[in-house]
Amino acid sequence: MYNMLTGIRVSVSRCEAKDRRPVREDDYAAMHKYSFDVVGDEMTSSSRYDFKFKDYAPWVFRCIREAFHLSTEDYLVSLTDKYILSEVGSSGKSGSFFYYSQDYRFIIKTVHHTEHKFMRQILPQYYEFVRDNPHTLLSRIYGLHRIKLPHGRKVHFIVMSNILPPNKDIHAQFDLKGSMQGRELSAELASKPRACMKDQNWVKMRQRLHLGPTKCCAFVKQLIKDVTLLIRLNIMDYSLLVGIHDLNQGNAAKLRDTTLAMFDPQTTDIQQLNRLTRAHTIRKKVVHTDPVALDALPQGTLPPLPESMFQELRYSMFYREDGGIL
């Protein structure tokens, strides 16, 4: 995680320093390689390194972030702080891991090499679609990267928007595919915090989306556009994520405090050490630091989560009403 943030900081800053121009055909295949020590200093290719970082199609993803009204400054501030959040015991069914930026704004998700390769193949169509459809409900992917440790395996990952509001507890989540076959979460699992229920749960709980005629029309039209693109790209495994915040319950349960953990190697106190000593100390801290559940942190040290929705999501008709649809 620590290495991911270092690579993002350097690569995104380098791309931002260039003059603005339209996306060119060769931008989709572009990739930039970096080598770093653990302190975050860039190394020459022949030097001993702690990790290597590869940034794919950086100019295209810069333009994608701009299309979604996300400034580079906000992006870097969120992703390059000293700590990061994760779900307690997080590991997806595919073996992927999810991490959150310190303000709950972005998700860092590891992906399989085949997923990474496919994302690069469809990147031209994806960029053109999100550029022309600012209200899309597709995942907002802001970066595609890879890290490699010495004698270690390569880890590919993406950075994407967390569309669930940072200032609201989500009391129920549903992953809807429009199919009833094998689409039910057991009562035992559904009772756990942050459980993601499925289509049969939705029907049995008599859930509905109450949008009104204008929003309903816009919602259906956008879904049709999004699904049409997925069909054209031969993507089959997709679903609609619905998060429900109960206005009556509010944030009284503090669900995020019991389901999120913080990884903080606490490296701010070693800046006065010389470079070699600092590198050795950081290596030890990163290796021996474990994530700590937010509700287990000492009183007064809990990292504050934002009190309002993020600015870039206010441009979407489906997220602008305090983080969703009221």
Side-chain angles (χ1 to χ4, degrees):
M1 294 184 291
Y2 195 84
N3 298 339
M4 291 175 176
L5 299 182
T6 299
I8 290 172
R9 183 190 73 240
V10 173
S11 61
V12 171
S13 298
R14 293 275 179 88
C15 185
E16 179 64 21
K18 299 177 181 178
D19 293 335
R20 296 183 65 179
R21 59 169 175 78
V23 172
R24 300 191 301 246
E25 189 65 30
D26 59 341
D27 289 326
Y28 296 107
M31 63 181 76
H32 296 164
K33 300 178 182 179
Y34 305 91
S35 298
F36 298 97
D37 65 8
V38 73
V39 177
D41 293 334
E42 192 172 354
M43 314 293 290
T44 61
S45 57
S46 60
S47 301
R48 180 180 180 275
Y49 64 90
D50 282 282
F51 68 97
K52 288 185 176 181
F53 184 89
K54 185 177 286 189
D55 190 15
Y56 295 94
W59 191 264
V60 179
F61 283 105
R62 169 182 165 168
C63 292
I64 289 174
R65 294 192 295 269
E66 289 179 351
F68 283 126
H69 305 278
L70 174 60
S71 72
T72 297
E73 180 182 5
D74 287 345
Y75 190 61
L76 291 179
V77 167
S78 293
L79 286 171
T80 59
D81 212 320
K82 298 302 181 183
Y83 62 85
I84 198 167
L85 303 174
S86 66
E87 288 190 6
V88 176
S90 69
S91 177
K93 184 172 65 174
S94 64
S96 297
F97 284 83
F98 292 79
Y99 307 110
Y100 295 94
S101 60
Q102 45 87 17
D103 56 3
Y104 209 49
R105 190 173 194 167
F106 303 111
I107 295 172
I108 299 175
K109 178 181 182 288
T110 59
V111 296
H112 192 271
H113 173 67
T114 54
E115 295 176 288
H116 147 264
K117 185 177 180 180
F118 182 70
M119 182 64 207
R120 295 185 66 195
Q121 290 176 349
I122 67 170
L123 188 56
Q125 296 94 320
Y126 176 79
Y127 166 64
E128 292 173 2
F129 184 82
V130 299
R131 179 195 61 194
D132 299 335
N133 292 271
H135 303 296
T136 180
L137 293 161
L138 295 177
S139 297
R140 298 173 172 223
I141 300 175
Y142 296 142
L144 178 63
H145 313 287
R146 190 202 77 185
I147 60 169
K148 181 183 181 299
L149 303 178
H151 313 295
R153 68 186 183 93
K154 302 170 183 177
V155 178
H156 297 88
F157 65 98
I158 60 174
V159 181
M160 56 195 295
S161 175
N162 179 16
I163 55 86
L164 296 178
N167 59 324
K168 304 289 184 186
D169 278 345
I170 299 300
H171 300 101
Q173 287 188 68
F174 295 88
D175 180 86
L176 305 177
K177 289 185 179 294
S179 170
M180 303 296 281
Q181 184 69 33
R183 298 292 299 163
E184 182 175 16
L185 195 65
S186 68
E188 179 184 357
L189 294 176
S191 64
K192 295 183 178 181
R194 301 180 71 86
C196 195
M197 292 175 279
K198 302 180 181 181
D199 299 71
Q200 287 197 38
N201 304 97
W202 176 272
V203 173
K204 290 181 179 180
M205 295 171 66
R206 299 181 182 275
Q207 294 286 357
R208 296 288 189 274
L209 292 178
H210 302 281
L211 304 179
T214 302
K215 290 179 185 175
C216 182
C217 181
F219 182 72
V220 171
K221 283 184 177 180
Q222 189 59 60
L223 277 182
I224 292 174
K225 287 183 179 180
D226 292 348
V227 171
T228 299
L229 174 69
L230 297 174
I231 293 173
R232 181 157 56 91
L233 296 175
N234 294 318
I235 297 174
M236 294 178 61
D237 189 12
Y238 53 85
S239 54
L240 179 68
L241 176 65
V242 178
I244 298 176
H245 171 74
D246 189 323
L247 294 174
N248 294 322
Q249 295 186 50
N251 293 333
K254 297 184 178 180
L255 295 177
R256 290 161 297 178
D257 294 354
T258 60
T259 57
L260 292 178
M262 182 176 74
F263 175 80
D264 181 7
Q266 297 184 355
T267 60
T268 56
D269 59 344
I270 62 173
Q271 299 305 313
Q272 304 305 318
L273 302 177
N274 65 58
R275 181 181 169 278
L276 290 178
T277 304
R278 192 170 35 159
H280 176 71
T281 303
I282 290 178
R283 288 189 188 102
K284 288 180 62 178
K285 283 178 173 285
V286 170
V287 170
H288 296 291
T289 299
D290 293 320
V292 179
L294 296 188
D295 61 353
L297 293 172
Q299 191 70 23
T301 62
L302 190 67
L305 288 172
E307 297 180 356
S308 61
M309 198 57 190
F310 299 117
Q311 187 64 35
E312 66 272 14
L313 294 180
R314 298 183 188 278
Y315 290 90
S316 169
M317 68 174 66
F318 305 119
Y319 303 123
R320 65 170 57 131
E321 295 177 338
D322 204 12
I325 302 175
L326 294 175

